[in-house]
Amino acid sequence: MKIIQVTDVHLGRRSEIRYGADLHERLDRCIDHINARHGDAALCIFTGDLTDAGEAQAYADLKAALSRLTVPYRLLPGNHDRRANLIAAFPENGTDGNGFVQSVFDTPEARLVFLDSLAEGRVTGELCDNRLAWLDARLGEAAGKAAYVFLHHPPVELGLTLLDPLGLEQPQRLIDVLTRHGNVRYIFFGHVHRDIAGTVAGIPFSAQRGLHARFMLDLIGDEVVEQAPPAYSIILIEGQRVVIHSHDFLESWPLWSPATGQRVR
């Protein structure tokens, strides 16, 4: 099974340049790249910060752009989003019955679980009692089947002095639910604008840096934003094997053929 993860689109006003990049253009190029190379993907998951300010027009622009995506998709909110505007623009995306943007995607081999970690008005994320109870029930239904969890906020400290306080609040509550069921194989998230991998409570996790600017790696506390090639993740799942490729799709450097040694771009 092939899954695509795109995160931190931060779509704002058209023609707006943020940190030297046109994010509408980046999204269009990302969609073109996925269509050309990954039409066989089962699903494309956008893990939050779909827009930069949650404006209705930004969701309308996002919907227009995604109309060209040939792969089915699922959208999750991040702290820059507004839940009501997201649901209004994408009613088909689904909610959990309590007004949260949570759903599942089942295959014969696995269940993908999508969580809404948006805490309106805060940068940090939250999973309230209702959201955790919904997750608990969905994992229970999938007993004996591998489960993969997607959300925006990291449920683990990453060693990033400035960003760690902005992750998921009370992350142990989520980890307790995940470990109790014993079938969660991987956690995927965004939010931190960096490619990071690790484990928490024995569960592997992966952060994708996404389409926006990247935070430079600084473990002592200086927050600096740098422009870097935007990327999305290609997640390959087969039985016990999970492989994640982070793919830069706006390469500007030369490309060479290993077969001929000749430059091809």
Side-chain angles (χ1 to χ4, degrees), residues 13-71:
R13 295 183 178 88
R14 286 195 173 278
S15 302
E16 180 182 16
I17 303 300
R18 293 181 57 80
Y19 299 109
D22 182 330
L23 295 172
H24 283 265
E25 179 186 6
R26 283 197 169 180
L27 176 60
D28 287 340
R29 296 283 294 276
C30 181
I31 290 169
D32 290 342
H33 206 270
I34 293 169
N35 285 346
R37 292 163 175 81
H38 305 295
D40 59 338
L43 194 67
C44 182
I45 304 158
F46 291 78
T47 49
D49 281 359
L50 309 168
T51 69
D52 198 59
E55 296 175 348
Q57 184 58 52
Y59 291 110
D61 290 341
L62 178 64
K63 188 156 194 173
L66 292 179
S67 68
R68 298 193 302 105
L69 182 62
T70 59
V71 175

Side-chain angles (χ1 to χ4, degrees), residues 231-244:
Y232 62 84
S233 286
I234 306 156
I235 304 165
L236 305 175
I237 300 172
E238 183 178 1
Q240 298 291 318
R241 179 173 65 96
V242 179
V243 177
I244 304 167

Side-chain angles (χ1 to χ4, degrees), residues 132 155-156 168 170-180 187 200-201 203:
L132 288 174
V156 57
L168 185 70
Q170 298 180 285
Q172 191 60 44
R173 299 180 72 214
L174 170 61
I175 299 305
D176 288 345
V177 174
L178 302 184
T179 55
R180 181 164 64 248
I187 307 169
V200 56
I203 303 172

Side-chain angles (χ1 to χ4, degrees), residues 5-258:
Q5 181 194 3
V6 181
T7 198
D8 291 272
V9 179
H10 284 269
L11 210 61
R13 295 183 178 88
R14 286 195 173 278
S15 302
E16 180 182 16
I17 303 300
R18 293 181 57 80
Y19 299 109
D22 182 330
L23 295 172
H24 283 265
E25 179 186 6
R26 283 197 169 180
L27 176 60
D28 287 340
R29 296 283 294 276
C30 181
I31 290 169
D32 290 342
H33 206 270
I34 293 169
N35 285 346
R37 292 163 175 81
H38 305 295
D40 59 338
L43 194 67
C44 182
I45 304 158
F46 291 78
T47 49
D49 281 359
L50 309 168
T51 69
D52 198 59
E55 296 175 348
Q57 184 58 52
Y59 291 110
D61 290 341
L62 178 64
K63 188 156 194 173
L66 292 179
S67 68
R68 298 193 302 105
L69 182 62
T70 59
V71 175
Y73 62 84
R74 203 68 62 95
L75 307 175
L76 302 180
N79 49 288
H80 280 260
D81 290 303
R82 294 296 174 265
R83 188 177 291 112
N85 287 345
L86 169 58
I87 293 172
F90 296 92
E92 70 281 3
N93 191 60
T95 59
D96 63 0
N98 291 310
F100 297 110
V101 186
Q102 305 198 135
S103 61
V104 300
F105 180 85
D106 285 316
T107 74
E109 301 83 17
R111 165 165 280 191
L112 310 184
V113 183
F114 310 116
L115 299 179
D116 177 342
S117 61
L118 170 59
E120 296 275 7
R122 304 203 298 276
V123 177
T124 53
E126 72 172 359
L127 290 172
C128 60
D129 290 344
N130 284 338
R131 281 175 273 189
L132 288 174
W134 178 90
L135 170 64
D136 194 35
R138 301 295 81 76
L139 291 177
E141 293 169 354
K145 178 185 286 191
Y148 300 87
V149 174
F150 295 78
L151 72 164
H152 180 67
H153 291 85
V156 57
E157 291 189 352
L158 302 170
L160 302 173
T161 303
L162 288 176
L163 296 178
D164 279 344
L166 305 179
L168 185 70
E169 298 172 5
Q170 298 180 285
Q172 191 60 44
R173 299 180 72 214
L174 170 61
I175 299 305
D176 288 345
V177 174
L178 302 184
T179 55
R180 181 164 64 248
H181 288 275
N183 60 341
V184 176
R185 298 276 180 80
Y186 229 104
I187 307 169
F188 301 90
F189 52 86
H191 188 56
V192 293
H193 294 221
R194 291 202 59 83
D195 297 307
I196 304 173
T199 61
V200 56
I203 303 172
F205 67 78
S206 172
Q208 164 57 234
R209 75 175 181 266
L211 304 193
H212 202 359
R214 178 174 64 188
F215 286 115
M216 291 182 66
L217 179 61
D218 193 315
L219 303 183
I220 61 173
D222 292 331
E223 181 177 352
V224 179
V225 174
E226 63 179 347
Q227 203 47 263
Y232 62 84
S233 286
I234 306 156
I235 304 165
L236 305 175
I237 300 172
E238 183 178 1
Q240 298 291 318
R241 179 173 65 96
V242 179
V243 177
I244 304 167
H245 298 279
S246 181
H247 195 106
D248 300 348
F249 62 88
L250 288 183
E251 302 95 336
S252 57
W253 48 86
L255 297 182
W256 302 82
S257 167

